[in-house]
Amino acid sequence: MSENKRKYIVTSAWPYVNAIPHLGNLIGSVLSADVFARFLRLRGEEVVFVSGSDMHGTPVAVAAKTKHLPAEELAMKNHEIIADLFQRWNISYDNYTHTHTPTHIKFVQEFYVEVQKNGYIFEKEIESLYCKEDNLFLPDRFVEGICPHCGASGARGDQCDNPECGKLLTPLELNKPKCAICGSTPEIRTTKHWYMDFPKLQEELKELIENNQIIPQNARSMCLNSIEEGIPERAITRDLEWGIPAPFEGAEDKSIYVWFEAVLGYISAVKEWAEKNENDPKRFDSFWKDNETNAVYFIGKDNIIFHLIVFPGLLMAYNANKKEEEKLVLPYNVSSTEFLMFEKDKFSKSRGVGIWINEALEIAPLDYWRFNLVYNRPEKSDTSFLWSEFENNINTLNDIIGNFIHRTLTFINNKFESKIPEKIKLDERDEQFVVKLKTISEQIEFYLGQFELRKALREIVEYAREGNIYLNDKAPWHIIKKNKKAAGHVFNLCAQFAYSLAILLGPFIPNTSKKILELLNLEKDLNELGWDSIDENKLETGKEIKKAEPLFEKLDIDDIKEKLIKIKQKKKRVKQIHMISYEDFKELDIRIGKITNVEGIENADNLYKLTLDTGDGTRTLVAGLAQHYKEEELLNKNIAFLANLEPKKLRGVLSEGMLLAAVKDNVVSILTPDKDVDPGAKIE
RNA sequence: AGGGGUAUAACUCAGCCUGGGAGAGAGUAUUGGUCUCAUGCGCCGAAAGUCAGGAGUUCAAAUCUCCUUACCCCUACCA
């Protein structure tokens, strides 16, 4: 990496909102990108790290239909779950957004208008299968039928499922095609679509890949080969309601194909960040419209072509005819991972194979996961998550890193009144040790610069081993009997070493890093201290440190496995039976309250702000009753409400509970007690 | 089917691009020793591999070329 500070756009692939990510998804893009972004910030680089949920597309629309929910509601709900999980995983996004924001939608539409203006979009009519029952043009995958080649049933519209055959198909070729959603027979209809003229960009894309020396070799040859074969034109519109309306004339009932709008989220997410978080729209230009900016994409191996050919192609089509300072920056590099397997098997939602990121947090502390995932990051080939490896890695963390820091700090606690002892003259062994300390950050930086996160972390562990070796060589617990100063000298260096570990581990396991800094009693946080702050004189002689506490604990892997099994079983049960125990019911605190005030809420035609007398005080509830009750109908009524619901802001008003009402179709009826009871009465 | 990858000790992997310290490295597990400041931890040593199989190029091949086998990805809406 160069000496000059550079600007970085760091991105991770956009998770599809229809599923909770699993460990493989996480290490493939999200966690890797986070480590990198944290590292850059620690180095003091200018970084914006963004991603978001991919909200649109057929699967969401179909799932919403079966759940009788509006697609938007389902997508938004899932988005919030995912966003919350990423936060709990300590993913340091500057903006984690989604593709259904006004900023994104507007950006996408304007983007394609430009692309069309620049002459990269043409129209074409095709024949496609349409399901009358579902009112849907069926995507290839949603058509099933009999393979015309081998006669196997269950062939899909894109490929025959029979492994013996496996031929590529188009939906129109299938015999007896059926809609995969409802099973009825679809009909052939003609529909018009808008196409992206990739062949026109062929040469330009080839140059881009050829001139980029930094992208990984395998990605490079893959792309060049694919370009050599010819990049096909691609339809960018779909006949689907759930998506971003296509901005082309005559395309009023079309959406932009998810793939062609979700990637633009990399751009719109920064735009949104600049406008909302930074309150400075120019920050967007300074990142995206500066060709010196390094845009880095963390993706899985299945996404290489898309990020190195399709996405840059879109950018080029947009940039054509633009002034230099208006052009959007092309990708600088991609870091692609292979896949993570689970005990030699593929992660599979339907078969329940694997660990999902919500489950992981329930069975082991976060940093153990972060450490383990990066330590085994699938950089060269598919890699299995193995319980035995997980156990190994927990032990490494504990025995090598945790133990070194702990033995150093407790010694200082016990023998030197918790004050960093004085350093005396370095001998040869000390010098050797100090050289390691002074060169380590450069070494790790080198690997991180090459996106070898796994190697970087492994080198840090090796480095920590050096600490233990040094301690053993010196054996200060012997020296101290004759020469306290000389023993103190050793621990001065070891404390400096512990400090270096806090810095180095910062991008990988930030919680642990923070804990070490706390134990060393440092006021500044990691980024203030900085990547280059490692030095053998960093901690001053006499500085008081805190009482040591173990950083990690060993876990019994069988316990963890069992916990996971229980979690999975519990989920299954909830899904299947929907029965809850009496204990569960008792969790609900339902009470009677008297409505003492009712008022409307600005910009919300269905909401009332209710003031409630709860017997022991008053609270505010927001209820969606304005379409069903007049204000005076509610005033002074005794109503039932859920008192221990998490408070939530609705249209800027904090609602501290939920009013209960019977709902059927368009009738909404609030629940009031049959007899006169005082506010505060509990419902059992 | 075409294209891109991967195959190295019991296990997880490094080395391969750019062939060369005539003994192929590390961690874990196994095993011998040792320390006792520290969390059943640390440190030192041993054993363990026809580098997927085959052919070729070369003074020299895990490394370059070709063929075969197995698995993964893309082409073809899962990181």
Side-chain angles (χ1 to χ4, degrees):
Chain A
M1 292 196 167
S2 71
E3 286 298 306
N4 316 337
K5 299 293 172 222
R6 301 205 63 168
K7 279 181 286 194
Y8 284 86
I9 302 167
V10 179
T11 74
S12 60
W14 289 50
Y16 197 46
V17 83
N18 219 19
I20 288 179
H22 53 63
L23 293 184
N25 301 133
L26 198 81
I27 185 57
S29 62
V30 178
L31 181 55
S32 300
D34 180 58
V35 170
F36 193 68
R38 282 176 181 274
F39 163 68
L40 293 174
R41 291 195 199 101
L42 192 48
R43 280 208 47 183
E45 312 278 5
E46 241 190 293
V47 182
V48 60
F49 174 29
V50 296
S51 185
S53 306
D54 178 1
M55 304 279 271
H56 302 128
T58 314
V60 172
V62 171
K65 202 173 248 182
T66 56
K67 286 186 179 168
H68 303 288
L69 279 176
E72 179 169 357
E73 197 179 321
L74 179 70
M76 201 56 87
K77 217 169 86 186
N78 291 350
H79 162 70
E80 273 161 22
I81 292 171
I82 294 173
D84 174 61
L85 278 169
F86 285 162
Q87 214 164 45
R88 286 167 57 201
W89 273 83
N90 248 334
I91 306 299
S92 61
Y93 287 121
D94 292 300
N95 188 19
Y96 185 82
T97 179
H98 59 83
T99 58
H100 204 64
T101 65
T103 308
H104 180 71
I105 294 170
K106 183 163 170 255
F107 179 81
V108 168
Q109 292 179 330
E110 288 173 357
F111 184 93
Y112 281 107
V113 167
E114 287 294 307
V115 172
Q116 189 180 36
K117 238 192 249 166
N118 292 342
Y120 287 94
I121 285 174
F122 60 92
E123 300 165 27
K124 204 159 97 177
E125 289 213 328
I126 57 158
E127 288 188 327
S128 180
L129 291 176
Y130 182 87
C131 174
K132 277 181 289 184
E133 297 297 318
D134 294 311
N135 281 326
L136 200 67
F137 275 98
L138 295 171
D140 294 357
R141 289 227 156 221
F142 282 79
V143 185
E144 281 174 7
I146 293 169
C147 172
H149 301 282
C150 71
S153 61
R156 291 169 178 267
D158 53 353
Q159 181 177 24
C160 177
D161 254 4
N162 178 1
E164 304 281 308
C165 172
K167 287 219 166 63
L168 301 187
L169 306 169
T170 67
L172 294 170
E173 285 179 273
L174 284 176
N175 291 328
K176 300 199 181 154
K178 284 199 166 55
C179 165
I181 304 163
C182 68
S184 62
T185 304
E187 61 183 36
I188 298 172
R189 284 196 190 177
T190 306
T191 178
K192 196 192 314 182
H193 280 296
W194 279 252
Y195 282 74
M196 180 72 204
D197 195 349
F198 283 109
K200 208 168 166 179
L201 291 158
Q202 187 107 351
E203 281 311 306
E204 221 177 320
L205 282 165
K206 190 173 168 186
E207 261 173 57
L208 173 78
I209 304 293
E210 275 175 346
N211 292 340
N212 187 331
Q213 294 303 323
I214 193 167
I215 58 172
Q217 187 52 46
N218 61 341
R220 198 189 161 75
S221 38
M222 203 166 143
C223 288
L224 286 176
N225 204 287
S226 151
I227 292 170
E228 231 23 71
E229 283 173 16
I231 311 167
E233 52 204 36
R234 298 244 213 165
I236 56 172
T237 53
R238 288 292 128 119
D239 292 293
L240 190 67
E241 266 177 47
W242 178 234
I244 296 182
F248 313 120
E249 226 185 290
E252 284 71 24
D253 54 343
K254 314 269 174 191
S255 290
I256 302 284
Y257 179 22
V258 272
W259 276 65
F260 286 89
E261 50 99 341
V263 268
L264 300 184
Y266 291 135
I267 310 166
S268 68
V270 175
K271 201 176 179 72
E272 186 185 61
W273 165 82
E275 286 163 4
K276 281 196 186 156
N277 302 44
E278 297 288 283
N279 229 332
D280 180 7
K282 286 205 187 95
R283 295 277 287 153
F284 169 75
D285 297 353
S286 92
F287 275 101
W288 264 104
K289 294 186 179 170
D290 180 347
N291 68 3
E292 292 289 302
T293 299
N294 293 339
V296 182
Y297 301 84
F298 286 83
I299 55 174
K301 64 173 161 182
D302 54 341
N303 245 328
I304 292 174
I305 296 285
F306 205 80
H307 283 74
L308 246 24
I309 293 185
V310 175
F311 181 51
L314 293 176
L315 293 175
M316 286 169 173
Y318 175 88
N319 285 345
N321 308 329
K322 289 244 171 356
K323 285 189 216 144
E324 222 31 68
E325 64 271 19
E326 283 298 311
K327 286 185 176 172
L328 298 171
V329 67
L330 297 173
Y332 167 73
N333 202 354
V334 297
S335 169
S336 70
T337 54
E338 304 287 313
F339 286 174
L340 187 72
M341 315 285 276
F342 183 77
E343 296 277 344
K344 316 247 169 187
D345 207 348
K346 273 193 173 193
F347 276 76
S348 159
K349 193 180 171 189
S350 55
R351 287 185 299 133
V353 175
I355 304 178
W356 273 258
I357 67 172
N358 52 343
E359 299 169 340
L361 293 178
E362 291 180 44
I363 58 179
L366 173 63
D367 277 359
Y368 294 25
W369 288 111
R370 289 184 56 120
F371 180 84
N372 181 73
L373 288 169
V374 178
Y375 200 80
N376 279 340
R377 183 170 182 252
E379 287 178 3
K380 192 167 126 182
S381 58
D382 290 357
T383 303
S384 270
F385 171 90
L386 299 173
W387 286 112
S388 56
E389 273 293 300
F390 188 45
E391 187 174 26
N392 264 352
N393 296 340
I394 291 177
N395 287 346
T396 300
L397 207 46
N398 192 66
D399 299 344
I400 308 298
I401 295 175
N403 191 40
F404 171 79
I405 290 168
H406 195 247
R407 64 201 291 213
T408 297
L409 300 189
T410 46
F411 207 102
I412 296 175
N413 286 149
N414 296 337
K415 309 287 183 185
F416 296 95
E417 294 154 338
S418 296
K419 294 200 175 100
I420 303 285
E422 190 186 338
K423 191 156 35 193
I424 52 177
K425 193 170 180 305
L426 302 185
D427 67 15
E428 212 176 298
R429 182 67 181 88
D430 296 331
E431 295 283 4
Q432 207 187 340
F433 190 57
V434 168
V435 167
K436 289 232 164 74
L437 183 124
K438 292 189 111 154
T439 50
I440 184 68
S441 61
E442 233 170 86
Q443 220 183 100
I444 302 303
E445 187 174 315
F446 173 78
Y447 291 127
L448 288 177
Q450 321 261 340
F451 300 102
E452 294 183 61
L453 312 192
R454 170 182 172 130
K455 187 146 192 186
L457 185 55
R458 282 168 185 251
E459 282 300 316
I460 294 172
V461 171
E462 281 315 301
Y463 173 71
R465 280 183 209 278
E466 297 288 346
N468 282 313
I469 295 173
Y470 173 74
L471 254 183
N472 255 73
D473 285 355
K474 286 276 175 175
W477 44 92
H478 284 156
I479 303 178
I480 196 166
K481 291 174 194 157
K482 293 186 196 136
N483 184 348
K484 189 164 177 183
K485 262 198 167 170
H489 166 80
V490 172
F491 280 103
N492 178 297
L493 288 182
C494 285
Q496 312 291 352
F497 196 86
Y499 173 81
S500 69
L501 283 171
I503 300 295
L504 298 169
L505 291 170
F508 301 91
I509 42 177
N511 285 346
T512 302
S513 164
K514 202 172 156 200
K515 236 197 238 163
I516 301 171
L517 294 178
E518 269 165 24
L519 290 176
L520 291 173
N521 204 10
L522 290 161
E523 308 269 304
K524 291 185 180 171
D525 77 12
L526 194 62
N527 284 347
E528 284 176 275
L529 292 163
W531 182 255
D532 293 326
S533 66
I534 297 172
D535 188 88
E536 84 269 31
N537 296 312
K538 178 67 191 178
L539 303 171
E540 287 161 29
T541 303
K543 177 180 179 51
E544 189 154 351
I545 60 163
K546 298 216 172 120
K547 171 124 188 52
E549 272 169 36
L551 292 169
F552 310 102
E553 54 175 344
K554 289 207 181 191
L555 300 176
D556 187 306
I557 214 75
D558 289 323
D559 286 352
I560 298 181
K561 275 193 220 172
E562 218 163 283
K563 264 193 211 167
L564 180 68
I565 290 169
K566 275 193 189 141
I567 291 170
K568 287 196 189 279
Q569 280 172 347
K570 200 166 143 197
K571 275 187 192 140
K572 244 188 207 161
R573 226 179 298 141
V574 171
K575 253 188 211 157
Q576 282 170 353
I577 330 176
H578 282 291
M579 297 286 263
I580 63 167
S581 68
Y582 180 64
E583 302 303 314
D584 288 338
F585 168 70
K586 267 180 34 187
E587 294 279 320
L588 301 175
D589 186 3
I590 304 174
R591 291 165 187 267
I592 297 298
K594 184 171 182 183
I595 299 174
T596 56
N597 190 35
V598 184
E599 52 184 283
I601 294 176
E602 253 188 48
N603 299 327
D605 14 355
N606 195 29
L607 297 182
Y608 278 136
K609 177 179 166 187
L610 307 176
T611 308
L612 222 55
D613 175 5
T614 58
D616 52 2
T618 60
R619 51 168 106 189
T620 305
L621 254 63
V622 177
L625 292 174
Q627 309 281 344
H628 308 279
Y629 284 89
K630 290 181 183 145
E631 294 188 14
E632 55 270 27
E633 285 176 319
L634 291 171
L635 200 60
N636 292 324
K637 278 243 166 76
N638 279 326
I639 53 97
F641 73 102
L642 183 59
N644 62 341
L645 184 71
E646 284 178 355
K648 177 154 175 131
K649 252 193 182 175
L650 298 167
R651 291 278 162 179
V653 180
L654 190 69
S655 180
E656 308 164 283
M658 185 172 91
L659 177 142
L660 302 181
V663 181
K664 168 90 179 165
D665 299 328
N666 279 329
V667 182
V668 173
S669 170
I670 58 171
L671 302 182
T672 60
D674 189 34
K675 290 180 190 165
D676 216 350
V677 289
D678 286 331
K682 193 160 174 1
I683 292 172
E684 320 193 274

